[in-house]
Amino acid sequence: MASIDPRPRKKAHCAATPEDFEKLGGEIMARSTDGGKSAAVFEARFVTFFGVISVVVANVWNRLVDNGDPELESAEPFHLLWGLLFLKQYPSETLFCKLVGVQDEGTVRHWSQLLVRHIAYLVSDVVGCSLLAC
């Protein structure tokens, strides 16, 4: 007979806002969203790192969470940023770990590849329309 894990199982996260992703992205970029630089400069840097603006990232995250896929139950919003960073920069695992502040290459590889795969599943939902408007 299998034992029951007494720890509560982590549930899929709630919706996230563009501001949530700006804060998380700012941590990865070592830039603050309120550090005196204009919003346009921050947004340009965000796109340089992640390939899209924070509104699009939030939209993608919210679509992924809404799908209720059990594979994403333990996913955090920053994992989506890892996936986008991987797609945009395609860094070596050592550099990738340094960029996101994680020492375990396997962890970074697991989450970035998982989120990239789930982003690809959204193609049928978003091709032909803007993620901002769909």
Side-chain angles (χ1 to χ4, degrees), residues 29-113:
M29 298 184 310
R31 302 280 182 188
S32 173
T33 57
D34 60 325
K37 296 287 183 184
S38 74
V41 170
F42 182 85
E43 185 175 287
R45 288 181 175 148
F46 191 93
V47 171
T48 299
F49 268 74
F50 306 107
V52 292
I53 60 175
S54 60
V55 173
V56 173
V57 180
N59 192 324
V60 169
W61 174 256
N62 294 331
R63 286 172 179 268
L64 291 173
V65 170
D66 287 346
N67 286 342
D69 191 314
E71 224 180 4
L72 296 176
E73 279 185 354
S74 298
E76 298 280 348
F78 64 85
H79 292 136
L80 177 57
L81 289 177
W82 290 5
L84 293 171
L85 180 67
F86 175 77
L87 287 173
K88 175 71 173 156
Q89 307 298 333
Y90 200 68
S92 68
E93 287 184 345
T94 304
L95 178 58
F96 199 1
C97 287
K98 186 69 173 169
L99 286 170
V100 299
V102 175
Q103 292 183 2
D104 182 28
E105 293 174 352
T107 298
V108 174
R109 182 182 328 110
H110 167 77
W111 286 110
S112 61
Q113 290 179 358

